[in-house]
Amino acid sequence: MIVYKFGGALARSKRGLEALARLVGEAYARELTRARRIASQKRGKRTPSGSALANAGKVGMHGLVVVVSAIGHTTRQLTRAADLAEEGKLHEAESALDRIVSQHEQLASTLVLEREEDLFETFDEIGSSVRSLLEGIAITRELSPRSRDAVIAHGEQFAVSLIHALLEEYDLPVQTVDARSLILTNESFGHAVPDPAAVAERAQRLIAPRLRRSEVILTQGFVGGTADGVTTTMGSESSDLTATLLAASLGAEEVVIWKMLPGIYSADPELVPHARLIRTLSFE
């Protein structure tokens, strides 16, 4: 079993999204072939009945989990919208939100999706949820860490909706599992700490059965939820943490983090022009 995590920079263009879908399709095909081979060996070379992954799951978990980040600078834009609302500039905040929705619609349009209208309706629903939050912030003139998390977590919802539609277009059996019900955290909004034991239990309950039904699992990075179901975020770049938490919980053999950069740098190269590529790192 493998976990793929895709950064938001990769998914902000038609070319990047098509590469994402191709990579997922190739990985899924490899896992399915591998599961069939193992299941056949366990059954004395006979063709396995039912789902190949279901049979292989009796001797080991197989399949693919895909974790995605918000696309491009969506998180930054949502943060700006929330800040504007806190300043009482609701019209400007809503304009910023409208641009986010429009950007996702334009990106989706380049993909020529069969169910584009349904996807646009989903974008509108996500946008309406954000709009309600912005209105509340503007009325109270208060942006608490909890409210900020509630706003910015919608960036991953936009991304998951788009990528789900894209993977369906590639005839992949994709199922979305909401990270808010999967990644249990404390209430340190903005820097929430996950509970690995609870994440493992939920992953086994919510993801493992779907993997055994040969489904590709799609979920948000960065986002979690408290025991009471309140949305949290785990801090900048924590989508990688989501991927590794799920990999550990499901006994994955490999975690692959797909980014636009060729490796780990000494600093963020978008912010530090002379950041250098670190060729090797010790585990520590």
Side-chain angles (χ1 to χ4, degrees):
M1 198 221 102
I2 58 177
V3 177
Y4 273 7
K5 182 266 175 174
F6 291 96
L10 180 66
R12 65 185 176 192
S13 69
K14 178 177 185 286
R15 180 181 178 186
L17 283 166
E18 289 176 342
L20 182 157
R22 184 182 69 254
L23 290 166
V24 170
E26 291 170 353
Y28 176 72
R30 288 195 300 270
E31 281 293 291
L32 193 60
T33 299
R34 182 182 177 206
R36 284 173 174 156
R37 183 177 66 251
I38 293 173
S40 180
Q41 291 170 351
K42 289 294 177 179
R43 291 175 177 271
K45 305 296 183 180
R46 291 178 296 172
T47 302
S49 59
S51 164
L53 292 185
N55 293 325
K58 296 174 183 177
V59 295
M61 188 70 65
H62 295 78
L64 177 64
V65 174
V66 179
V67 177
V68 297
S69 300
I71 293 171
H73 299 296
T74 303
T75 302
R76 189 178 305 169
Q77 293 169 328
L78 285 169
T79 300
R80 177 58 179 159
D83 289 339
L84 287 167
E86 184 184 29
E87 296 169 10
K89 300 175 181 177
L90 181 58
H91 178 71
E92 293 180 40
E94 291 179 328
S95 294
L97 172 60
D98 290 339
R99 286 192 295 273
I100 293 170
V101 175
S102 178
Q103 287 166 0
H104 283 81
E105 289 177 344
Q106 290 172 13
L107 185 54
S109 294
T110 67
L111 300 170
V112 193
L113 301 172
E114 185 176 338
R115 299 182 61 184
E116 184 178 275
E117 289 186 10
D118 292 341
L119 178 59
F120 281 17
E121 286 183 9
T122 300
F123 286 160
D124 286 340
E125 291 171 3
I126 298 170
S128 294
S129 177
V130 178
R131 198 176 306 276
S132 296
L133 290 167
L134 295 177
E135 289 172 354
I137 294 167
I139 290 170
T140 62
R141 295 292 185 92
E142 181 182 353
L143 178 58
S144 66
R146 172 173 172 164
S147 295
R148 187 184 295 275
D149 272 5
V151 171
I152 64 177
H154 285 80
E156 275 66 24
Q157 286 183 256
F158 279 116
V160 163
S161 299
L162 175 56
I163 292 169
H164 185 118
L166 174 63
L167 296 181
E168 282 189 330
E169 197 76 13
Y170 277 68
D171 293 324
L172 289 164
V174 58
Q175 292 292 331
T176 294
V177 177
D178 195 327
R180 292 172 294 183
S181 63
L182 184 61
I183 307 297
L184 181 68
T185 74
N186 64 10
E187 297 183 2
S188 298
F189 298 101
H191 301 280
V193 179
D195 180 340
V199 172
E201 185 278 325
R202 293 182 179 201
Q204 288 295 327
R205 176 163 47 87
L206 300 174
I207 293 181
R210 294 177 181 273
L211 290 175
R212 295 189 181 101
R213 293 197 293 269
S214 308
E215 296 171 351
V216 175
I217 306 305
L218 177 65
T219 193
Q220 315 101 296
F222 177 63
V223 176
T226 69
D228 295 329
V230 179
T231 300
T232 61
T233 68
M234 298 185 292
S236 179
E237 302 300 322
S238 58
S239 290
D240 294 356
L241 174 59
T242 303
T244 52
L245 274 171
L246 293 178
S249 298
L250 294 164
E253 292 181 302
E254 187 176 21
V255 181
V256 183
I257 298 175
W258 297 92
K259 294 181 180 287
M260 295 297 286
L261 298 171
I264 296 175
Y265 278 71
S266 57
D268 185 343
E270 287 192 8
L271 301 177
V272 183
H274 302 296
R276 61 183 178 83
L277 176 65
I278 301 173
R279 296 291 179 183
T280 60
L281 284 172
S282 67
F283 182 82
E284 290 79 9

